[in-house]
Amino acid sequence: MNVLFVVPWDNVGGVSHVVNRVAEYARRQGSGVYFLLPGPGDAPVPATSRAGFPAYQFNLRPPAIAGRSLRSRLAYALTLPLTLLQLTRLIRRLKIDVVNIHYPGGNKTYFAMLRRLGVVRLVTSIHGTDMLGDAARNP
């Protein structure tokens, strides 16, 4: 089984530590492990995660950005078809069986759409206060 871990950052600590441990376990079980990391480009670019896993950097535009609502929604709508196509190609090229999203946010809507289209199975992992939203993080 090949797994694509989608994470919002590639740093040390917290969520990254948990994701790397799960990825290490999956690799020991014989799974192919790949990471999708944020990046500046409009196409997936090969990279390596901080923990040494094969990765791709890709700009997954969120559906809306506070303060730029109209512009961000328009950009999202215009780039949506190409982004879905790029992700589908990457998933098929890597023969990804499961996409595991950690720390879900608005820019993960692409994978919900791909799941609906039958392109991939989707698992979402949440950590700590993720379930409580911004109110729990900003007292």
Side-chain angles (χ1 to χ4, degrees), residues 5 7 11 13-29 33 35 49 51 53 100 102 127:
F5 290 92
V7 294
N11 60 13
V15 172
S16 296
H17 179 73
V18 171
V19 175
N20 288 333
R21 300 281 292 182
V22 172
E24 288 168 5
Y25 177 81
R27 184 188 288 173
R28 282 194 310 271
Q29 300 305 310
V33 173
F35 276 64
S49 76
F53 292 102
N100 184 205
H102 286 262
H127 308 269

Side-chain angles (χ1 to χ4, degrees), residues 72-83:
S72 62
R73 288 175 196 268
L74 182 60
Y76 177 81
L78 291 173
T79 60
L80 178 62
L82 182 58
T83 301

Side-chain angles (χ1 to χ4, degrees), residues 28-104:
R28 282 194 310 271
Q29 300 305 310
S31 294
V33 173
Y34 302 91
F35 276 64
L36 185 64
L37 308 169
D42 291 328
V45 175
T48 302
S49 76
R50 186 180 279 244
F53 292 102
Y56 289 84
Q57 293 180 323
F58 191 23
N59 180 17
L60 294 178
R61 192 178 306 277
I65 298 173
R68 296 185 175 168
S69 183
L70 181 61
R71 186 176 178 184
S72 62
R73 288 175 196 268
L74 182 60
Y76 177 81
L78 291 173
T79 60
L80 178 62
L82 182 58
T83 301
L84 290 175
L85 178 64
Q86 300 255 12
L87 286 171
T88 299
R89 285 182 178 164
L90 180 67
I91 288 167
R92 289 190 174 147
R93 183 168 18 113
L94 299 176
K95 299 180 181 168
I96 298 297
D97 298 297
V98 175
V99 172
N100 184 205
I101 297 174
H102 286 262
Y103 207 87

